[in-house]
Amino acid sequence: RAYLDNITAIGPRTVGSPENEVLAVNYLLEQIRGIERESTDAHKISVDIQRPTGSFSIDFLGGFTSYYANITNVVVKLEPRNGAEHAVLSNCHFDSVPNTPGASDDAVSCAVMLEILNTLSKSSESLQHAVIFLFNGAEENILQASHGFITQHEWAKSIRAFINLEAAGVGGKELVFQTGPENPWLVQAYVVAAKHPFASVVAQEIFQSGIIPADTDFRIYRDFGNVPGIDLAFIENGYIYHTKYDTSDRILTDSIQRAGDNILAVLKYLATSEKLAKSFEYRHGSVVFFDILGLFVLAYPARVGTIMNYITAAVAFFYLSKKVLQPKPRAVHNLKKLLTAFSLTLTSWVCTLVAVLMVAMFVSVIGRALSWYTHFYVSVSLYGTAAAAELILVHMLAKKFFYKNVNELYLGDIFFDASLMIWSIALAVMTQMGLCSAFICTLWVTFPLLTKLMIHKEFSQKGATIKFIVMYMLGMFVPYLYMLYLSWTVFEMFTPVMGRSGSEIPPDMVLAGFIVIFTMILSSYFINFIYLVKSMKTTLVTLTTVFVVTLILVCSGIFFPYSSDAANPKPKRVFLQHTSRRFHDLDGNVVKSDSGIWINGFDYNGISHITPHVPEINDTIRTPCEEQAPFCGLPWILPVHFMFRFRMSRVAGLHRRKPAAVGISHTSRILRAEFHGTLEAVRGPSHMSLYVRPRAGSALSRWSLGDGIPVASLGGDYFVFYSHGLHAAPWHFWLELMAPEKPSDGIVSLAIAAHYFFGEDQKSPQLYALLERFPNWTFSSGWSCTYDLFVF
């Protein structure tokens, strides 16, 4: 707790700032030296300050290239007195995003690592392998410091496994959401050692699908270091992640203790494991893993899961085929009835999805998106009741018109079999696709089938009695309990993400889709009760009433999306960039210059809720796209242009432009019918973005960045993210383009945006004045920047 409080007391720790490069580093070194003085003779502690320079390309956010210079890593190695050949890495980052204290992301992890280092160093028991603690100083700059360490530091060669400590929320339980690749022994190590396990292969497959717009150092160690590992993150209360509310007092001591218990135990287990030294022998195979209500973790090899899944599906298909073939003369008739029920069930799901998505679209169009952001129960009352009501309605109509004179017990039985058939097919398909999450389908086939076999006699002789219903509910208890637990985890992660997913993605449609999916899953084995009971009218009317009332209240605007509640804030995120732009022609003359405050709301509502508080924004213009300029002539800090609608707010008065913010010199020569240009960004702040667009007839073939092969972003332009620590040398790079022999208007457009995230140039007086007027339910992050376009 003291470590955490002291790190966050430094303030925002943006890469390149004195707070990050000097104050945070000095504090860490002071604590490490104190720990070293009190360590036992069983251990040797080595400390190194690394300031790497490097570059790499990554396919995150549509693809871009990253370049870093003189950033900071604090590296500590704890090893046996006589040294160790192999090591396990523990990684955190002490930098934060601009204008935030970064308590959960990721100061608390660094605090936990300091305490673990202290605990291990005082132990009289010697470790078998070394433990390397990396306090990296540039993770928020899209994973730069971890790349500098794993590709350049001499200790990196000894690392056989790693644990990465991250955050997607503020406190709570830390979730294992990525492992591997392969190396099932790592998951087994976590299962054996962790005292408070919380892990899900479902979270892993969701995260690695790219649905969540985020990434961690796990990717760097995996892709550039070829090292397997475990990725953990705090996921609770993601509403205040990357905001000014991410303060140390919001992280409960119990949460810190829990994380420390788990990570210490796993690190100690790995550092004394024989498998670490021979990890290459155990690297093959994936693992199915999931925790049971946080009590313990079940983990087994994916190949075992594949066998189990296929056997389960085969048993279910055998059961269904036996039902169809009894008696044989009616086999075709029975098959038709089963397929009809199967088709009706799928039809009801499609109708439900379409209907609920139409409601979500309507809510979005009338400007009431995210009404559930502060009040999650609103989403359940609106979309959950609509989904349930639509499902019931479709089957009530089928029962009334299609199955008018059919025996109710027969219908109940056939629709149970239809649901079993759907889950069995899903199980086989997901297993064939290699998805470890197929274990969920196994639960939804195994337990219902066993339940059906146990209560078949009771049902066939007496029908839907109280005893039948009780036994049915008990048989379904395990899959339903696990599914409710999993749905809580999914919504805990996803709901806050909708507040930072950009203004192009309709969050109501995404959340409504999730709710429909969970409604279909949870109702799949209760559809048969619609046919067993005499009437569902009361239930349908109740659900419809709740839906209609909620929809009316949502349309009225009574549910305001955001909250400034001091105890539980759920702010709206807004970025404001006071921007000065200059556009140069081929001769270097300035042909256009302007200045204004560029405003981006980070969610689907844009800035519509803010304009009543700052009405002059209504008089501004929507940002025009400068077609001739890369990325529309706008100073994107990252290539997330595809996620936002543009708006430029022009205010009276221009902030002082920092003289010669970015200087560029260039030389060029013809090389093998190609144009070779060498450029140098001689001046600029710690964060800059380089945008490259070959002109008509030209093509970018090589450059000195990344691995030498240019990686285009979405839209076709090339994006380079640049940052540096203190005392960085000028940035030299070259481009090589295929070009026509006589280009009439140049062969390449090149723009540089300079971002001032700290210091006296961060905010102009006009920007300060505008930020002061923003309502207290917003988190408004503002900075000054420049955009300069050149043509060569």
Side-chain angles (χ1 to χ4, degrees):
R1 169 65 69 178
Y3 292 142
L4 172 61
D5 291 341
N6 290 331
I7 294 172
T8 54
I10 294 171
R13 301 170 301 284
T14 309
V15 172
S17 69
E19 289 80 5
N20 192 69
E21 309 301 326
V22 178
L23 298 180
V25 171
N26 288 345
Y27 175 76
L28 289 170
L29 290 175
E30 180 185 346
Q31 303 310 308
I32 292 165
R33 290 187 184 114
I35 292 170
E36 185 178 8
R37 286 193 295 269
E38 297 180 8
S39 64
T40 65
D41 293 336
H43 310 284
K44 179 171 68 174
I45 295 179
S46 306
V47 184
D48 184 50
I49 305 298
Q50 184 199 22
R51 291 194 166 88
T53 295
S55 180
F56 63 96
S57 296
I58 189 170
D59 61 1
F60 179 52
L61 296 176
F64 66 96
T65 299
S66 182
Y67 185 95
Y68 54 90
N70 216 42
I71 57 176
T72 306
N73 281 324
V74 179
V75 196
V76 185
K77 180 160 70 170
L78 177 74
E79 59 185 330
R81 181 58 60 181
N82 57 354
E85 181 183 356
H86 308 285
V88 57
L89 171 71
S90 180
N91 175 79
C92 74
H93 67 90
F94 58 85
D95 66 312
S96 68
V97 295
N99 304 315
T100 69
S104 69
D105 188 25
D106 194 30
V108 65
S109 297
C110 292
V112 167
M113 276 174 44
L114 283 172
E115 187 59 36
I116 290 173
L117 172 61
N118 184 40
T119 301
L120 290 175
S121 68
K122 289 182 178 179
S123 172
S124 58
E125 182 182 348
S126 179
L127 301 173
Q128 183 176 344
H129 309 293
V131 180
I132 295 174
F133 297 87
L134 173 58
F135 301 88
N136 93 55
E139 189 272 350
E140 298 297 356
N141 281 11
I142 314 301
L143 322 178
Q144 292 177 336
S146 56
H147 181 269
F149 172 78
I150 202 66
T151 59
Q152 300 178 38
H153 201 283
E154 59 178 344
W155 293 347
K157 301 182 183 72
S158 66
I159 295 171
R160 301 292 173 263
F162 70 88
I163 297 178
N164 183 49
L165 315 181
E166 256 299 346
V170 180
K173 298 191 292 186
E174 76 288 352
L175 171 69
V176 173
F177 66 101
Q178 287 192 99
T179 65
E182 297 191 311
N183 287 273
W185 66 276
L186 270 176
V187 177
Q188 293 296 342
Y190 177 83
V191 171
V192 171
K195 295 184 178 180
H196 317 285
F198 185 37
S200 174
V201 74
V202 178
Q204 173 173 292
E205 292 183 339
I206 289 175
F207 188 83
Q208 293 181 351
S209 71
I211 293 175
I212 300 178
D215 218 329
T216 74
D217 287 322
F218 181 97
R219 173 200 280 259
I220 298 297
Y221 299 132
R222 178 194 66 195
D223 294 352
F224 293 93
N226 295 314
V227 181
I230 299 173
D231 211 1
L232 303 99
F234 295 103
I235 63 168
E236 188 174 290
N237 199 7
Y239 299 98
I240 58 177
Y241 165 78
H242 279 189
T243 73
K244 64 183 178 181
Y245 300 106
D246 183 12
T247 52
S248 61
D249 59 293
R250 296 184 186 276
I251 302 176
L252 298 178
T253 301
D254 288 349
S255 182
I256 303 172
Q257 184 66 51
R258 173 198 161 88
D261 288 345
N262 280 342
I263 298 161
L264 172 61
V266 176
L267 276 177
K268 198 169 182 180
Y269 182 92
L270 292 173
T272 56
S273 171
E274 294 289 343
K275 290 184 177 180
L276 187 75
K278 303 176 182 178
S279 58
F280 62 91
E281 296 180 8
Y282 307 97
R283 69 182 183 274
H284 294 299
S286 299
V287 185
V288 179
F289 61 93
F290 53 95
D291 70 286
I292 306 299
L293 306 179
L295 301 175
F296 59 92
V297 172
L298 286 179
Y300 49 88
R303 62 181 181 275
V304 174
T306 299
I307 296 170
M308 289 169 51
N309 293 348
Y310 280 133
I311 290 175
T312 303
V315 170
F317 285 126
F318 175 76
Y319 162 81
L320 291 171
S321 62
K322 191 174 179 181
K323 287 281 294 290
V324 167
L325 294 172
Q326 286 183 348
K328 281 188 178 182
R330 293 180 59 83
V332 175
H333 173 78
N334 292 340
L335 181 60
K336 285 182 178 179
K337 292 295 184 183
L338 177 61
L339 292 178
T340 301
F342 175 85
S343 301
L344 264 173
T345 302
L346 291 182
T347 301
S348 69
W349 286 1
V350 172
C351 291
T352 299
L353 182 61
V354 171
V356 175
L357 288 182
M358 287 177 64
V359 174
M361 177 65 78
F362 171 74
V363 169
S364 301
V365 168
I366 66 171
R368 298 303 181 191
L370 292 167
S371 296
W372 38 264
Y373 192 64
T374 294
H375 318 280
F376 183 72
Y377 63 86
V378 173
S379 66
V380 178
S381 298
L382 184 63
Y383 302 125
T385 56
E390 180 70 16
L391 273 173
I392 292 171
L393 177 62
V394 171
H395 287 284
M396 281 181 64
L397 292 174
K399 181 181 178 181
K400 183 175 181 180
F401 296 107
F402 193 75
Y403 293 115
K404 193 170 185 179
N405 298 313
V406 182
N407 180 272
E408 291 175 345
L409 295 183
Y410 174 78
L411 289 176
D413 192 53
I414 200 73
F415 273 93
F416 176 93
D417 291 344
S419 295
L420 182 65
M421 184 177 176
I422 290 171
W423 279 110
S424 300
I425 292 172
L427 173 59
V429 170
M430 290 181 68
T431 304
Q432 180 63 33
M433 292 171 64
L435 295 175
C436 293
S437 300
F439 79 89
I440 296 173
C441 298
T442 302
L443 293 177
W444 284 103
V445 172
T446 303
F447 284 91
L449 182 55
L450 290 174
T451 301
K452 182 66 180 294
L453 294 174
M454 287 190 296
I455 63 176
H456 175 70
K457 187 176 180 181
E458 172 75 17
F459 180 70
S460 59
Q461 291 179 355
K462 301 179 181 178
T465 61
I466 296 296
K467 181 180 178 182
F468 161 79
I469 294 173
V470 171
M471 292 177 68
Y472 191 88
M473 295 291 190
L474 288 175
M476 299 291 183
F477 179 75
V478 171
Y480 271 89
L481 180 64
Y482 182 76
M483 205 65 210
L484 289 171
Y485 175 66
L486 180 63
S487 63
W488 168 83
T489 304
V490 170
F491 284 117
E492 182 82 20
M493 291 175 63
F494 266 96
T495 307
V497 170
M498 294 297 99
R500 56 178 190 269
S501 294
S503 55
E504 291 294 331
I505 301 172
D508 277 66
M509 296 192 70
V510 175
L511 190 72
F514 273 114
I515 290 175
V516 169
I517 289 170
F518 279 106
T519 301
M520 292 188 301
I521 292 172
L522 294 171
S523 66
S524 56
Y525 284 106
F526 280 94
I527 289 174
N528 52 325
F529 279 90
I530 299 174
Y531 295 90
L532 288 173
V533 300
K534 289 185 177 180
S535 175
M536 291 286 289
K537 286 184 180 179
T538 303
T539 304
L540 181 61
V541 169
T542 302
L543 289 170
T544 305
T545 302
V546 173
F547 162 69
V548 171
V549 171
T550 306
L551 181 61
I552 292 171
L553 292 175
V554 166
C555 293
S556 72
I558 195 172
F559 299 114
F560 190 70
Y562 315 106
S563 170
S564 60
D565 179 17
N568 190 24
K570 294 178 180 177
K572 176 179 179 62
R573 300 159 189 259
V574 188
F575 280 4
L576 298 92
Q577 296 170 241
H578 200 160
T579 305
S580 290
R581 303 191 298 176
R582 293 189 303 187
F583 298 83
H584 301 76
D585 62 14
L586 190 57
D587 298 321
N589 302 314
V590 176
V591 294
K592 178 181 178 180
S593 64
D594 58 22
S595 180
I597 297 180
W598 182 34
I599 305 174
N600 274 311
F602 237 52
D603 61 44
Y604 188 76
N605 288 325
I607 57 174
S608 59
H609 288 79
I610 296 173
T611 49
H613 300 267
V614 192
E616 60 264 35
I617 293 179
N618 285 320
D619 301 325
T620 64
I621 62 169
R622 184 176 291 274
T623 308
C625 178
E626 300 287 348
E627 298 291 346
Q628 84 283 4
F631 290 91
C632 284
L634 294 169
W636 296 101
I637 182 64
L638 288 170
V640 292
H641 51 291
F642 59 92
M643 295 171 59
F644 293 91
R645 297 189 292 270
F646 301 153
R647 176 173 288 273
M648 173 75 87
S649 170
R650 301 184 180 277
V651 296
L654 304 181
H655 74 292
R656 179 177 61 86
R657 180 187 178 87
K658 189 169 179 64
V662 178
I664 291 183
S665 64
H666 94 285
T667 59
S668 63
R669 67 182 189 275
I670 303 298
L671 182 67
R672 298 189 308 278
E674 297 176 343
F675 172 86
H676 185 94
T678 301
L679 302 104
E680 173 184 316
V682 293
R683 286 179 300 276
S686 63
H687 291 70
M688 293 189 285
S689 306
L690 170 70
Y691 321 109
V692 181
R693 175 187 290 178
R695 309 281 278 190
S698 302
L700 184 61
S701 55
R702 292 194 304 147
W703 59 9
S704 59
L705 307 171
D707 60 2
I709 301 174
V711 174
S713 296
L714 288 178
D717 293 336
Y718 297 85
F719 188 104
V720 182
F721 178 84
Y722 169 88
S723 75
H724 69 70
L726 299 179
H727 314 301
W731 182 23
H732 297 266
F733 60 93
W734 55 259
L735 312 173
E736 199 162 275
L737 299 101
M738 298 294 293
E741 289 186 9
K742 296 181 179 180
S744 58
D745 61 346
I747 63 171
V748 63
S749 294
L750 186 148
I752 289 187
H755 302 269
Y756 297 88
F757 282 126
F758 54 87
E760 62 180 11
D761 295 308
Q762 180 182 3
K763 295 175 184 175
S764 64
Q766 293 84 4
L767 183 55
Y768 266 119
L770 187 61
L771 288 169
E772 287 291 320
R773 298 181 59 191
F774 271 58
N776 60 0
W777 40 263
T778 63
F779 167 64
S780 308
S781 184
W783 68 93
S784 297
C785 57
T786 62
Y787 181 99
D788 288 90
L789 174 68
F790 303 89
V791 181
F792 297 107

